[in-house]
Amino acid sequence: MSAGRTVAILHGAVPPDAPPDDQDTLLQVEVVAGGLKRLGYEATPVPITLDLAAMVRRLEEMNPAVVFNLVESIGGVGRHLHLPAAVMDAMGVPYTGCGTTALFETTDKLIAKRRLAEAGIATPAWLTEDGPDNGMTGRMIVKPVAEDASIGIDAGSVVTGVTAARRRMAEMQARRNGDWFAEAFLDGREFNIAMLELPERASDDPLVLPAGELCFIAFPPGMPRIADYAAKWDESSLGYRHTPVRLGIPPEDAPLVEQMKTIAATCWRLFGLRGYARMDFRCDEAGRPYVLEINPNPALSHDTGFARMLGRAGMSFDQGIDAIVRSALRRHEPLRQAV
């Protein structure tokens, strides 16, 4: 029998010399553990590597009521983040957040963009390392295919023309490995729409939280309006200090926000998301929103956009954690009854 109040907090092991984006995982573990303890759970961190057999043994020893899945990468590689979920599916272990398929499809940005385009959802045009140029011109931004946290993105990521984009992709592949692509750079406003599954509602009917806008304040001429790696992780950088997230969206933007909320809910159902997720949007010069990325299991700590959006919706951080855990337990209940 499962220890009914035991929660394993699963996360990628973080070495002492890990970069800031990986170190942030430990902060999330600490904050989530605190919330779980206040809710009456016994929370135990479980760091993992690609030795997934060791993960299986540890979870079998613990026999937790639920696993809180905070895996964002394994060994610093984001492409691996769906593997623990696949193993837990095979084990029949309940875990929070998005499932294996959704994690795989949204982590690979090219798969996600193709699915969005096929569904008629606007996403910026893109260019792969060896694919056709699709008639693309103008400014583009070069990104890693399967990494988050703005890894590998800086001012040099924004280039002009296909030739420059392919050159940048080749440079980044040589420098950091992995796959890279370019997408049309939209120099408009940027928004985040987050969603939370509630245990009292159908899983395909999440609560859509109040929108946030990523503002670019007093960027000097020539500096791309992007949240690059330094803007997210280097407190001394101009980008870090000049990219606040505004939650009080002006009333005149209500129609735009409602449009993005509708698109976000459509994406939730399209990718079979669950638990909690965040959609990132950019607008073009005409103000039309495009889906940039779909972020399953976005970062959880008191100062993240997701936590602040919860507060804007009238929910405490602990209430959000409780909803995430109870939704995971509800999904697993039919399996327990079948056994």
Side-chain angles (χ1 to χ4, degrees):
M1 294 292 293
S2 171
R5 304 298 289 182
T6 300
V7 179
I9 304 179
L10 203 68
H11 66 93
V14 180
D17 60 346
D21 55 285
D22 280 342
Q23 294 286 352
D24 182 70
T25 298
L26 299 180
L27 173 61
Q28 292 186 59
V29 170
E30 179 182 351
V31 170
V32 170
L36 289 168
K37 289 175 182 177
R38 288 188 295 273
L39 291 166
Y41 292 99
E42 180 183 344
T44 302
V46 178
I48 64 168
T49 67
L50 280 176
D51 183 359
L52 297 178
M55 182 194 88
V56 170
R57 291 192 296 270
R58 181 70 176 115
L59 293 180
E60 287 178 339
E61 290 170 1
M62 290 184 64
N63 194 22
V66 66
V67 172
F68 206 108
N69 185 14
L70 290 181
V71 176
E72 295 184 343
S73 66
I74 304 178
V77 179
R79 192 180 285 280
H80 295 153
L81 72 82
H82 70 286
L83 297 176
V87 172
M88 289 188 287
D89 285 339
M91 295 175 67
V93 173
Y95 59 93
T96 62
C98 293
T100 302
T101 301
L103 289 171
F104 176 78
E105 291 186 339
T106 56
T107 298
D108 189 310
K109 296 179 180 65
L110 294 180
I111 292 176
K113 289 176 75 67
R114 291 185 186 108
R115 292 210 64 198
L116 289 168
E118 290 168 358
I121 298 171
T123 186
W126 68 94
L127 173 75
T128 60
E129 292 179 358
D130 54 1
D133 61 25
N134 298 320
M136 291 180 64
T137 59
R139 299 172 82 194
M140 305 177 199
I141 180 168
V142 176
K143 299 178 175 182
V145 170
E147 296 292 346
D148 201 0
S150 292
I151 291 173
I153 297 179
D154 56 33
S157 299
V158 178
V159 299
T160 301
V162 170
T163 300
R166 293 196 189 281
R167 184 185 307 117
R168 174 74 179 187
M169 284 188 272
E171 290 172 354
M172 296 308 296
Q173 203 283 331
R175 190 189 311 173
R176 302 188 61 100
N177 295 322
D179 297 320
W180 297 77
F181 76 105
E183 70 178 9
F185 180 64
L186 305 180
D187 199 13
R189 298 168 71 183
E190 183 164 334
F191 294 88
N192 310 130
I193 304 290
M195 289 166 290
L196 174 69
E197 181 181 354
L198 299 178
E200 63 271 17
R201 288 165 57 165
S203 60
D204 63 352
D205 182 30
L207 173 67
V208 183
L209 302 177
E213 180 177 6
L214 181 64
C215 300
F216 301 95
I217 307 298
F219 270 42
M223 182 175 178
R225 288 159 31 96
I226 59 174
D228 61 10
Y229 189 85
K232 289 186 177 180
W233 305 109
D234 181 359
E235 296 183 11
S236 67
S237 71
L238 183 147
Y240 188 96
R241 301 190 306 271
H242 290 258
T243 51
V245 175
R246 177 177 66 169
L247 297 182
I249 308 298
E252 59 267 26
D253 290 325
L256 172 61
V257 170
E258 288 305 311
Q259 182 183 6
M260 290 187 293
K261 286 184 175 182
T262 298
I263 295 170
T266 300
C267 291
W268 178 282
R269 292 186 287 271
L270 175 66
F271 288 92
L273 303 179
R274 65 192 198 193
Y276 57 116
R278 189 191 75 238
M279 314 296 175
D280 297 339
F281 290 83
R282 268 262 184 166
C283 295
D284 64 11
E285 293 180 355
R288 293 172 296 207
Y290 290 71
V291 177
L292 289 184
E293 295 182 11
I294 298 169
N295 296 278
N297 305 356
L300 289 174
S301 59
H302 294 304
D303 61 348
T304 60
F306 189 87
R308 294 174 60 209
M309 290 173 189
L310 281 174
R312 193 81 180 182
M315 297 180 68
S316 70
F317 182 82
D318 290 359
Q319 286 174 320
I321 296 295
D322 184 53
I324 291 168
V325 169
R326 290 196 294 125
S327 294
L329 290 171
R330 178 186 65 169
R331 284 193 299 274
H332 198 70
E333 189 59 31
L335 296 177
R336 293 190 178 196
Q337 292 175 351
V339 174

